[in-house]
Amino acid sequence: MNELQLREQMVTLASSMFMRGYSSGGAGNMSTRLPEGGFLVTPTNSSFGSLDPSTLSKLDAQGQWLSGEKPSKESLMHLAFYRQRADIGGIVHLHSTSLTALSCLPNLDPDDCLPPITPYFVMRTGKLPLIRYLRPGHPDLADEVAKLAPDHNAMLLANHGPVIGGTTLREATFNAEELEDTARIWFMIRPHGMNMLNDEQVNELKTRFSVNTTPPAP
């Protein structure tokens, strides 16, 4: 896809998520890698429901702001993700209800915040590690994302929300939606107990539908 098509796609995907309640107000941000180098990022304090393709923030390959409105203050963590993963073409950061609620719970397993309750969680996400609380836009967030990005497609920011990548922005969006739905299902069934996928079933999925098979970017 060329830059114009990617601009249109970002607006369409963001609007779809907004209309279905995955983002509200000016919460969340998303980005995509451009074919000639550089990135498109949603502007600071913008709503997923009213983005304009022509005013999306454009950054060069080093992350310098080139054009459009001022980029999200959290663009640094997007750039950190991209720099660790040559295969990542799009990133979505949400404040979606179920995943944000999950990020506020005590005693989460920092290596994996959700159990393997559905095959699509395992296939799309693998594991969901936790990043310690840092204020939105804190520069150390980028460092924490960079540490986890080589081995994970998604991570959960404590008391904040998820960051999810994909080979394209479309795939990143699908991964984000699947992850939010998994968290919502987990909250629904947790009071009743649950049947989780066993180790053999998880390993079969990881073998057949490999997650994170592309080496990190140099």
Side-chain angles (χ1 to χ4, degrees), residues 167-179:
T167 58
T168 64
L169 182 58
R170 181 173 181 266
E171 183 179 282
T173 300
F174 287 1
N175 290 349
E177 293 172 345
E178 184 68 39
L179 190 57

Side-chain angles (χ1 to χ4, degrees), residues 99-208:
L99 283 166
T100 303
L102 177 69
S103 77
C104 299
L105 291 180
N107 304 317
L108 290 172
D109 179 352
D111 295 322
D112 196 359
C113 297
L114 281 172
I117 55 176
T118 69
Y120 287 96
F121 167 63
V122 176
M123 291 158 57
R124 288 190 174 276
T125 304
K127 290 187 174 182
L128 181 64
L130 183 70
I131 290 178
R132 64 190 174 92
Y133 175 75
L134 292 161
R135 64 165 172 79
H138 194 293
D140 287 354
L141 268 178
D143 294 334
E144 297 297 321
V145 168
K147 291 175 188 175
L148 293 172
D151 299 310
H152 298 90
N153 279 347
M155 50 210 78
L156 190 63
L157 311 180
N159 301 87
H160 190 162
V163 182
I164 308 105
T167 58
T168 64
L169 182 58
R170 181 173 181 266
E171 183 179 282
T173 300
F174 287 1
N175 290 349
E177 293 172 345
E178 184 68 39
L179 190 57
E180 170 65 13
D181 286 351
T182 301
R184 179 172 55 85
I185 291 166
W186 181 76
F187 275 113
M188 290 172 60
I189 65 177
R190 188 168 64 142
H192 310 289
M194 66 194 78
N195 291 322
M196 294 185 290
L197 301 180
N198 60 38
D199 289 345
E200 181 180 354
Q201 292 165 332
V202 169
N203 289 332
E204 179 190 13
L205 291 167
K206 288 182 177 179
T207 300
R208 188 171 180 83

Side-chain angles (χ1 to χ4, degrees), residues 13-24:
L13 292 172
S15 178
S16 175
M17 284 191 285
F18 180 84
M19 293 301 293
R20 289 176 293 130
Y22 290 95
S23 173
S24 60

Side-chain angles (χ1 to χ4, degrees), residues 38-104:
F39 308 91
L40 292 176
V41 183
T42 50
T44 187
N45 201 34
S46 59
S47 169
F48 276 20
S50 58
L51 294 176
D52 181 340
S54 67
T55 61
L56 295 175
S57 308
K58 184 175 181 178
L59 312 181
D60 66 16
Q62 287 70 49
Q64 297 300 308
W65 178 23
L66 296 176
S67 63
E69 295 180 1
K70 185 178 180 180
S72 166
K73 62 180 174 295
E74 294 179 321
S75 60
L76 289 177
M77 69 179 180
H78 289 247
L79 294 169
F81 207 146
Y82 287 121
R83 286 166 181 158
Q84 294 299 317
R85 293 281 297 279
D87 60 317
I88 291 295
I91 295 170
V92 175
H93 166 53
L94 299 175
H95 301 170
S96 50
T97 302
S98 297
L99 283 166
T100 303
L102 177 69
S103 77
C104 299

